[in-house]
Each structure stands twice: as structure tokens, then as C-alpha cells.
Amino acid sequence: MTLPVRLGTLSSPPKVPYREGQSIGVIPEGIDKNGKPHKLRLYSIASSAIGDFGDSKTVSLCVKRLVYTNDGGEIVKGVCSNFLCDLKPGDEAKITGPVGKEMLMPKDPNATIIMLGTGTGIAPFRSFLWKMFFEEHEDYKFNGLAWLFLGVPTSSSLLYKEEFEKMKEKNPDNFRLDFAVSREQTNEKGEKMYIQTRMAEYAEELWELLKKDNTFVYMCGLKGMEKGIDDIMVSLAAKDGIDWLEYKKQLKRSEQWNVEVY
């Protein structure tokens, strides 16, 4: 089984700067079954470059505690997720990085940024949105369109929901927010509301945006959503005589289609 997600902040020395969209490595304490130190695990950073407290000395993570029973009836705990979720104020954690270029936030303040996330895959998008809507920067003011699609199994899993709704309330012309809650919502056909099901409601509009040079798409979370999104786009592109898979390659080359799934 999986236990609830923990939203946490680690103190970070000023010499570890990071950019929105990057990850850090965490090396849990202890040794593995072979007697060697545990290997690092990568976690997407959920805070903007200046951190939740605005002093550039913290980094926030979104971690799902993993506990399950294996085929032999033994309870198995995810090494790093449980290490992080059990940390108490003042405890030390060994980190590495930051790393990652795939999910870096675009610098164009007038861009259209479409964010597709499932579960804890929301982390990099929270970092984007904090910079756009919760902070003031002399050299950056977001004037474009940010559109977030977040897919989760139950409404209790809608991480940072209140933050996002507050952003939308204050920036109705620049932020669109759509949730897909698969176990609680259905579409008009009675189908479960996965992230691709919600996107299908705006299929034509999304396709028109994808034909523009300043639209950037970011996908983070469960790998399973990638095929469902491709299925939507294949038929839309075909209406314009475009091969979606080839067009997606062009978007990737121009850094307009960015994917980090697991």
C-alpha cells in the first residue's frame, strides 16, 4: 500500500542554488542488503529558486511514503521515502545536485506553459507557479498563460490544491486549472476521468496552442499518461494532415515538449 504524501522543506546551504524544474539527490542513512551505502534517489524540487521562505536557503520536496506487502507476505518499506518522511526538525539529510535540464522553466514571461502532472509529479509545476504568481522579481513578470492539468485517484490526493486555487483567483487571465480525479469523476460517456480524459474536453484548443512557437508543454508523473495524451493528439494532428509523432519530435528539438515520467 502507499501512505499519504509528505510535503516537506529541507534547509539548504546557500552554495546549492537551483533552478525551477531541477531535482536534487537524497542519500538515505544506513546500508543496503549488500552492506553498501544506499544509492541516491532523485526528487523533483517543489519550490522556486528562492525557496518557500524567499531566502534561497531551503528546498521543498513532495514525497510519497511507500509501504507494501510483497508476495512472501513481508512488509517492505521504500528506503528513501520513509527516511525523508520520518525526518524531524533539526535532523540532517545528505543531498547532491541540483541536476536536470529537461524540465527547466522557460524564461519567456509571455509564453504559454501547459503542465501535465499526476500525483507527486506536481512538484516541478509548483516551483513554476510560485515564481509566476506568488513572487515578485525585478527581471521577471509572468504575462503569459499557465495551464495546469493535475490527475489523481481521489480528491484527498490533490496536492497544493488551496495554493493553486488562490493563484487562479488572483490571476484569472493568466492561470487555468483543471483537475482529473479518476475514482470520483467521469466524463459525459461515463468514463473515468484520467488526465487525458480531462484534456480531451479541450482537445481543439490545446492543439491550436501547440501550433504556436511560444507554447511549452511539460509532463511529469506516471508514465502511463503519456500514451493516452499521444492518442488524443494523433487524431487532432491528422485533421491538419500532420503526423503527430513526427511533430512531437520537432517540439522536443525546439524544447517545447518536455517529459519526465516514471
Side-chain angles (χ1 to χ4, degrees), residues 7-248:
L7 313 177
T9 302
L10 300 174
S11 294
S12 171
K15 64 182 180 181
V16 188
Y18 58 88
R19 287 179 58 187
E20 292 82 7
Q22 288 193 301
S23 301
I24 61 167
V26 178
I27 304 174
E29 291 181 345
I31 56 176
D32 64 20
K33 60 183 178 181
N34 298 314
K36 296 182 179 181
H38 289 299
K39 295 180 179 179
L40 69 85
R41 273 73 163 178
L42 288 175
Y43 289 89
S44 296
I45 296 173
S47 48
S48 72
I50 63 174
D52 286 4
F53 302 108
D55 58 6
S56 300
K57 294 182 180 180
T58 62
V59 57
S60 295
L61 303 179
C62 178
V63 181
K64 175 180 282 187
R65 183 194 291 271
L66 180 63
V67 180
Y68 66 94
T69 303
N70 65 16
D71 293 337
E74 299 173 305
I75 295 177
V76 180
K77 294 184 177 182
V79 174
C80 201
S81 68
N82 281 274
F83 166 71
L84 285 170
C85 290
D86 289 338
L87 287 175
K88 297 178 177 61
D91 288 349
E92 292 188 357
K94 188 180 293 184
I95 65 172
T96 68
V99 297
K101 296 181 179 179
E102 177 69 20
M103 300 290 287
L104 291 180
M105 180 178 171
K107 294 181 179 179
D108 181 2
N110 300 306
T112 293
I113 303 175
I114 299 171
M115 296 159 282
L116 316 174
T118 58
T120 55
I122 190 61
F125 305 139
R126 180 181 184 260
S127 75
F128 288 10
L129 293 165
W130 263 62
K131 181 171 183 177
M132 292 175 192
F133 301 125
F134 273 177
E135 299 171 358
E136 294 185 6
H137 298 266
E138 292 183 1
D139 59 347
Y140 180 85
K141 178 173 174 55
F142 185 69
N143 295 307
L145 172 65
W147 193 348
L148 173 64
F149 290 87
L150 176 57
V152 294
T154 63
S155 54
S156 62
S157 304
L158 286 170
L159 307 177
Y160 308 113
K161 180 175 181 287
E162 292 77 14
E163 287 185 7
F164 298 148
E165 290 177 338
K166 185 175 180 180
M167 292 175 186
K168 182 178 179 181
E169 180 182 346
K170 291 187 173 183
N171 305 274
D173 296 330
N174 300 97
F175 185 36
R176 295 177 65 172
L177 177 63
D178 280 278
F179 297 133
V181 185
S182 61
R183 295 180 188 172
E184 299 174 11
Q185 298 175 334
T186 58
N187 64 5
E188 293 181 351
K189 298 178 182 178
E191 300 167 329
K192 287 187 176 182
M193 187 63 73
Y194 295 109
I195 193 167
Q196 62 266 28
T197 319
R198 181 66 74 196
M199 291 175 66
E201 298 178 345
Y202 307 97
E204 297 289 348
E205 185 178 1
L206 288 168
W207 175 239
E208 290 304 314
L209 289 173
L210 278 173
K211 291 190 285 186
K212 296 182 178 180
D213 292 339
N214 69 335
T215 295
F216 297 82
V217 177
Y218 293 83
M219 187 185 308
C220 188
L222 296 175
K223 187 176 180 62
M225 68 173 166
E226 195 169 7
K227 182 182 182 301
I229 292 168
D230 277 339
D231 290 344
I232 296 171
M233 295 302 172
V234 164
S235 57
L236 288 169
K239 293 180 180 179
D240 287 346
I242 295 174
D243 182 318
W244 166 245
L245 296 181
E246 288 299 317
Y247 188 67
K248 186 169 72 168

